[in-house]
Amino acid sequence: MKLKFKIQQYQTDAVENVVRVFDGQPNLGLLEYKIDHGKVYVEQGGKRVEVKELEYDEEDTGYKNGDIVLDEETLLKNIHHIQTESNIHLSSDVVKKLGHCQLDVEMETGTGKTYVYIKTLFELNKRYGWTKFIVVVPSVAIREGVKKSFDITADHFMETYGKKARYFIYNSDSLGDIDTFSQSADISVMIINTQAFNTMKEGAKNKAARIINSERDEFGSRKPIAVLAANNPIIILDEPQKMGGAATQTALKAFNPLFTLNYSATHKEHHNTVYVLDALDAYNQKIVKKIEVVG
């Protein structure tokens, strides 16, 4: 059975408000860089010796997101234009703690925010050529749900955009997926939960976080996080209010994000808000059936 998706105007508006923040940004296409394949060591005379001048069968060309050429003044002007149209309080400045800007999209639960940010990444690729995205979620359960959303919308977005995204769940036992992510010229999406990279989340027992942040012999003595950072990815935070701790925010910086998109119904911290669909709006537009007020 093939699912059919109805285009909802409020979802289209949410996508447009994000994409229009970068009005004036040229489509730079794919930016190439040389992949660091790392180092290989062998044992010689009881010592660990690096093998020099290795030739690799695989390509050494990687593709990363092109930088944003708009200055901060232009970005803020674009943000103010969107906020004025949408009756949103004007930002005093561009928040740049995680990349060139941090854009907040507030959508009530059940209104399709996962669909919205998947469509947004396709639209960002279409207009500006960006191809590298990392979706960060606060739990394994949400991670699996996001993966399922990519599965069921693949054909739908193929019909709209004429292409499919390459997506995968980060697995510390399959670090080769990161090289594939870096070398692919297609839209590439990595889905990861915070426990997999936040070393402070579970202390010394957090094996997965240690792996992504440390040099691995099986990964050419490279740090997986450094290979990902070379792609200058766009970070999408699903439920960012659950990732507000100082340790998590510090860990996110290591991804070297181009910019960050925050999607939630209940933002704990506000950055540059560009779209709001709160509970009352959702009810008035008959998107949700009822709302409850807890007294």
Side-chain angles (χ1 to χ4, degrees):
M1 182 179 70
K2 186 176 181 180
L3 293 173
K4 290 186 178 181
F5 292 85
K6 181 181 178 181
I7 305 300
Q8 303 282 0
Q9 185 60 48
Y10 72 90
Q11 294 176 334
T12 300
D13 292 342
V15 174
E16 281 295 309
N17 281 18
V18 169
V19 174
R20 288 168 53 212
V21 167
F22 307 100
D23 279 351
Q25 166 74 20
N27 187 331
L28 301 175
L30 296 171
L31 291 191
E32 297 183 0
Y33 71 98
K34 187 174 182 179
I35 291 283
D36 175 15
H37 287 294
K39 302 175 182 179
V40 175
Y41 294 90
V42 295
E43 292 288 335
Q44 289 184 357
K47 294 183 178 181
R48 194 164 175 258
V49 180
E50 181 184 351
V51 179
K52 300 287 188 179
E53 299 179 0
L54 277 175
E55 292 186 5
Y56 291 90
D57 294 332
E58 63 266 32
E59 291 285 335
D60 63 356
T61 300
Y63 299 96
K64 64 179 181 178
N65 287 329
D67 199 9
I68 293 174
V69 303
L70 305 179
D71 59 26
E72 187 175 337
E73 182 181 356
T74 302
L75 281 174
L76 186 59
K77 181 179 179 181
N78 289 345
I79 290 169
H80 280 173
H81 182 67
I82 293 161
Q83 289 173 333
T84 300
E85 283 186 349
S86 304
N87 196 29
I88 297 170
H89 181 72
L90 298 184
S91 298
S92 58
D93 53 20
V94 178
V95 180
K96 303 184 295 180
K97 289 183 289 186
L98 288 174
H100 284 268
C101 57
Q102 287 178 259
L103 307 179
D104 293 344
V105 175
E106 182 178 326
M107 296 184 69
E108 183 62 19
T109 301
T111 59
K113 63 180 172 63
T114 307
Y115 174 92
V116 166
Y117 65 66
I118 295 175
K119 184 173 182 178
T120 298
L121 67 87
F122 274 96
E123 200 63 34
L124 288 169
N125 170 259
K126 176 183 176 181
R127 300 195 197 183
Y128 308 116
W130 293 320
T131 61
K132 307 296 181 180
F133 301 87
I134 296 178
V135 178
V136 182
V137 299
S139 69
V140 171
I142 295 177
R143 185 193 70 189
E144 296 302 318
V146 171
K147 165 65 164 52
K148 186 64 175 179
S149 293
F150 272 94
D151 290 341
I152 65 177
T153 59
D155 290 337
H156 166 67
F157 287 120
M158 178 66 182
E159 292 175 359
T160 306
Y161 294 97
K163 60 178 67 175
K164 290 187 177 183
R166 291 174 175 263
Y167 54 92
F168 69 101
I169 290 176
Y170 168 79
N171 184 341
S172 59
D173 292 327
S174 184
L175 297 178
D177 290 339
I178 294 176
D179 278 328
T180 302
F181 176 85
S182 298
Q183 293 173 308
S184 175
D186 300 320
I187 298 175
S188 301
V189 185
M190 184 178 82
I191 308 164
I192 187 170
N193 51 294
T194 54
Q195 295 86 351
F197 64 85
N198 186 353
T199 54
M200 301 299 291
K201 197 75 175 180
E202 298 172 20
K205 295 182 180 180
N206 193 350
K207 176 184 175 183
R210 293 202 311 273
I211 289 174
I212 199 172
N213 287 288
S214 62
E215 294 182 355
R216 312 299 301 176
D217 289 344
E218 71 274 21
F219 197 52
S221 295
R222 297 174 296 170
K223 290 183 179 181
I225 191 72
V227 176
L228 290 165
N231 296 282
N232 210 190
I234 293 166
I235 301 292
I236 297 172
L237 301 183
D238 191 331
E239 305 291 346
Q241 75 277 9
K242 299 177 182 177
M243 312 177 203
T248 302
Q249 292 298 305
T250 298
L252 285 167
K253 290 179 182 178
F255 286 104
N256 186 33
L258 182 65
F259 59 87
T260 307
L261 304 177
N262 303 308
Y263 290 82
S264 176
T266 54
H267 288 281
K268 188 174 181 180
E269 180 181 353
H270 292 277
H271 307 91
N272 299 126
T273 304
V274 294
Y275 184 78
V276 175
L277 180 72
D278 60 21
L280 185 58
D281 291 331
Y283 177 75
N284 289 337
Q285 294 183 42
K286 299 181 179 180
I287 300 168
V288 296
K289 293 183 178 179
K290 66 178 180 178
I291 55 176
E292 294 182 359
V293 178
V294 179

